[in-house]
Amino acid sequence: MSAAQVWSVDPRTGKQRERVAVEATAADVDRAVRAAHDARAALADRAVRAAFLRSAAACLEAAKDRLVETADAETALGVPRLPGELARTCYQLRAFADLVDEGAFLDVIIDHPDDTATPPIPDLRRYKVPLGVVAVYSASNFPFAFSVPGGDTASALAAGCPVVVKAHPDHPATSELAASLLREAAAEHGVPEAVVGLVHGFDAGVELVRHPLVAAAGFTGSVRGGRALFDAAAARPVPIPFHGELGSLNPVVVTEAAAEERPDEIGAGLAGSMTLGVGQFCVKPGLVLVPSGGAGDQLVKSLTDAVGRVADGVLLDHRMRDNFVAGVAERAALPDVDAPVSPGAGGAHTVAAGFLTVPAARLAAEGAHDLLLEECFGPVTVVARYATEAEVTQVLSRLPGNLTATLHLSSREAEGTGSGAALLAELTPLAGRVLVNGWPTGVAVAPAQHHGGPYPATTSTSTSVGGTAVERWLRPVTYQSTPAPLLPPELRDENPLRLPRRVNGRREN
């Protein structure tokens, strides 16, 4: 029986563009993982890793036109979105190169012997080492930044871990092109191309997480798919860390004072955020608590006007389009749910943006309206109108974990007047990033960034964006009473690599 063909498909028409590859068999996955495992030593030198990451960024930039053209043909994300995403991806690669050069992520700690301590302290030297081969599962909605050359790959390589990437079926040609460019960059520094493996197919993804030489996994996708892989990772004879981003509602609370102060601004801002990228951002605001009454009515009117001007868009594939159309129809059919701008089918291959409204009281207790508390992927949000702050608290208490939570305050509330601090305290347990007077779409690549959150937003407490994402692929090890000639260079007293470290409780460098 011949292997299944992997086709690139144009989401604007639903037609096949080109045959890209064949789905990987279990033997193919085994070869890719073993080759990556055998190539680990080539990433041991931090200088080589940093140079490789910078060359990867340069190779991607040099192929910008080809990459953007290919990705647009497969995702319909268009310009300026795709060039911007590619620039972000290249910036991220260079940021990790800088992190590797600095070396603080190794977290070197040295305690010299102290016989006066209780109990006595022997010579202890601690740092972090790479886990091994990392399985990376590409996202559908970010063909660069969360796919083959994205944050999971960049952070794993920075940690010294080879990767085997399971390509997303929505952009296989883009994945092949990006992988070839990363391998080209590896070759420039004498690093085996096998440090970046690529496989296609659903079964290949399952085989990958089960492979005994895979030491950890990073995933961005659906709750259903991510949970299945998470369970498989935990069920292995030797369980492995599974860092999955699964789903997020990204709630927004607008206080009555904020709605009174700037209803038009908030309404227009919400429209822009919920429809950005045809609503296909993982941090799209999917539930917005707005006060009832005149100020809230004006905000909803502003939202209605702005969303009504949004052109129909193309989702990443027709399966997602069908799920979106069915999902919004099911939600709109619930009692007391209205659609000031009806979301759903546009043309034969497009969707129309819209939003639903519902009394917040409907969401305060368990029932059929729980569906409105689940993510609906695409250009739609739910506006829940609350009569009292108690209703806000009741709704928030029923929400699962999220990537983000947003609070819109008036200028006086932002200065500490009113219930802003209490609402911020209610939102903090729900999300990994809490915003005030902004919108969650747009995740800056910065050292202080955290892109994660309580389950089901993610399956761990780690971030997939920012420098600390590297920590997912490392483990600490301590050497006790080890003769100096046998110590790794990172742990020697003379500090030949000039690493930041803590010695006898005091920070050096």
Side-chain angles (χ1 to χ4, degrees):
M1 184 176 180
S2 60
Q5 307 294 303
V6 176
W7 287 86
S8 173
V9 177
D10 183 348
R12 294 181 175 96
T13 64
K15 294 181 180 179
Q16 294 177 337
R17 296 178 57 251
E18 60 176 327
R19 187 179 71 84
V20 173
V22 295
E23 293 188 357
T25 64
D28 294 330
V29 172
D30 181 64
R31 278 191 291 272
V33 173
R34 291 186 182 280
H37 181 77
D38 291 343
R40 289 172 301 153
L43 295 174
D45 189 311
R46 286 191 302 121
V48 170
R49 296 208 302 270
F52 169 27
L53 290 167
R54 292 190 177 98
S55 291
C59 287
L60 291 172
E61 287 173 339
K64 172 184 173 181
D65 292 343
R66 275 194 299 152
L67 284 165
V68 169
E69 180 182 6
T70 304
D72 181 54
E74 293 188 309
T75 67
L77 290 174
V79 177
R81 158 66 192 277
L82 287 170
E85 184 186 332
L86 182 59
R88 175 191 193 278
T89 302
C90 294
Y91 176 86
Q92 186 166 245
L93 286 162
R94 292 191 173 100
F96 277 113
D98 293 343
L99 180 142
V100 172
D101 280 340
E102 180 197 33
F105 72 99
L106 295 172
D107 198 18
V108 176
I109 304 174
I110 296 175
D111 287 322
H112 290 128
D114 184 356
D115 292 337
T116 67
T118 304
I121 298 173
D123 188 89
L124 298 172
R125 297 162 188 257
R126 179 187 191 271
Y127 79 143
K128 292 180 178 177
V129 298
L131 290 175
V133 178
V134 171
V136 173
Y137 293 82
S138 292
S140 62
N141 53 342
F142 284 88
F144 302 133
F146 285 84
S147 295
V148 173
D152 286 349
T153 294
S155 58
L157 293 173
C161 297
V163 300
V164 178
V165 183
K166 190 272 182 187
H168 196 279
D170 280 352
H171 36 79
T174 306
S175 299
E176 287 285 347
L177 177 54
S180 71
L181 293 166
L182 294 184
R183 292 166 181 155
E184 178 184 319
E188 290 181 15
H189 302 282
V191 175
E193 294 182 352
V195 296
V196 180
L198 182 67
V199 296
H200 298 266
F202 176 85
D203 291 341
V206 177
E207 291 291 338
L208 191 56
V209 79
R210 291 175 175 168
H211 197 286
L213 293 181
V214 167
F219 171 91
T220 304
S222 69
V223 173
R224 180 180 178 184
R227 183 55 194 254
L229 291 171
F230 174 78
D231 290 345
R236 290 167 39 129
V238 178
I240 60 171
F242 183 89
H243 301 283
E245 179 189 325
L246 311 188
S248 185
L249 194 61
N250 305 299
V252 178
V253 176
V254 181
T255 67
E256 185 168 4
E260 290 173 348
E261 184 176 86
R262 55 184 202 284
D264 294 339
E265 176 188 326
I266 295 174
L270 172 58
S273 185
M274 59 156 284
T275 61
L276 185 65
V278 202
Q280 297 174 114
F281 277 55
C282 51
V283 288
K284 178 201 74 177
L287 175 69
V288 187
L289 287 151
V290 172
S292 55
D297 291 344
Q298 181 59 36
L299 190 158
V300 171
K301 180 182 183 303
S302 173
L303 177 63
T304 300
D305 294 342
V307 174
R309 293 191 295 269
V310 175
D312 291 354
V314 177
L315 295 185
L316 292 160
D317 63 41
H318 280 59
R319 176 187 59 83
M320 292 182 186
R321 178 185 179 276
D322 292 344
N323 288 342
F324 174 75
V325 172
V328 295
E330 186 177 4
R331 289 164 171 79
L334 293 171
D336 292 332
V337 173
D338 294 319
V341 181
S342 295
H349 306 287
T350 61
V351 296
F355 69 97
L356 307 174
T357 62
V358 65
R362 280 287 195 177
L363 306 179
E366 185 176 350
H369 287 74
D370 286 0
L371 182 62
L372 299 176
L373 303 180
E374 297 178 10
E375 180 184 13
C376 186
F377 193 73
V380 65
T381 195
V382 174
V383 176
R385 306 293 302 273
Y386 65 88
T388 65
E389 289 188 1
E391 288 185 355
V392 174
T393 296
Q394 290 168 348
V395 173
L396 294 179
S397 71
R398 304 200 61 241
L399 298 186
N402 291 270
L403 294 171
T404 71
T406 301
L407 178 61
H408 277 271
L409 302 172
S410 69
S411 54
R412 289 191 66 228
E413 289 173 320
E415 294 173 354
T417 301
S419 58
L423 285 169
L424 204 63
E426 288 186 57
L427 290 173
T428 297
L430 295 178
R433 179 163 57 107
V434 182
L435 300 87
V436 176
N437 291 350
W439 298 104
T441 39
V443 183
V445 179
Q449 184 59 272
H450 187 83
H451 188 63
Y455 185 86
T458 50
T459 59
S460 72
T461 59
S462 301
T463 178
S464 60
V465 178
T468 54
V470 73
E471 296 172 359
R472 297 174 295 168
W473 321 121
L474 299 163
R475 69 174 181 88
V477 60
T478 292
Y479 290 87
Q480 179 172 329
S481 303
T482 303
L486 302 183
L487 285 169
E490 292 86 350
L491 298 180
R492 295 176 184 171
D493 281 335
E494 59 270 24
N495 196 11
L497 303 180
R498 299 179 180 274
L499 292 170
R501 59 188 193 169
R502 185 176 293 276
V503 180
N504 297 329
R506 302 188 66 175
R507 178 68 64 184
E508 293 185 354
N509 291 354

